[in-house]
Amino acid sequence: LAQKATRYKTPDARFFWNRMLYLPYIRAGINTSHWLTKIMFGSIEVRTVYVGAKQAKAAIVSRLSNERAGTRFVVRGVDDDGHVANFVETEQIVQIDGEISSHVQIRGSVPLFWEQPG
């Protein structure tokens, strides 16, 4: 997100929640960029913070993968394709004095094949 030079034409399919609605138009070669909205499930928060006398902007962006989402009691472990349950990518972005730094952290279920009867 903090990379200024990179402009992505297509979203990361792991976080593109309404992708199935786009597929018929994509296959037909129809440009949907002006009338269909791409949906991400997650949260964004931007705050102004102070570091001594300096003012900075801090942002947190978290997004949940659409590949194995579900409650922790139903979806666990990893599937045959290597997708872990409840995979979340969180990026922290800090801008101060015109400089931008970014840190990305990922989390998800333990990547083991397992199930819990009940």
Side-chain angles (χ1 to χ4, degrees):
L1 293 174
Q3 298 171 351
K4 291 182 184 179
T6 305
R7 299 280 184 236
Y8 295 101
K9 300 247 185 236
T10 58
D12 187 337
R14 296 175 301 168
F15 305 104
F16 186 4
W17 278 77
N18 59 338
R19 184 173 177 268
M20 295 307 283
L21 297 174
Y22 276 70
L23 288 180
Y25 301 107
I26 293 169
R27 289 181 182 136
I30 298 171
N31 181 3
T32 60
S33 63
H34 298 295
W35 55 279
L36 276 179
T37 302
K38 295 171 178 74
I39 303 226
M40 173 195 84
F41 182 68
S43 65
I44 299 172
E45 186 164 347
V46 180
R47 295 273 176 113
T48 300
V49 295
Y50 294 92
V51 181
K54 293 183 179 185
Q55 180 179 339
K57 294 281 187 188
I60 297 280
V61 180
S62 290
R63 55 189 187 165
L64 177 66
S65 171
N66 60 16
E67 292 168 335
R68 280 183 54 85
T71 63
R72 66 185 177 134
F73 297 112
V74 178
V75 182
R76 294 182 176 207
V78 66
D79 66 8
D80 292 332
D81 296 322
H83 305 126
V84 297
N86 297 309
F87 179 82
V88 176
E89 178 185 271
T90 301
E91 182 171 6
Q92 173 188 326
I93 306 161
V94 177
Q95 185 258 336
I96 187 167
D97 292 336
E99 298 291 324
I100 298 176
S101 70
S102 171
H103 174 73
V104 177
Q105 176 179 324
I106 59 172
R107 65 182 175 85
S109 184
V110 177
L112 299 172
F113 290 102
W114 65 297
E115 62 183 59
Q116 181 176 351

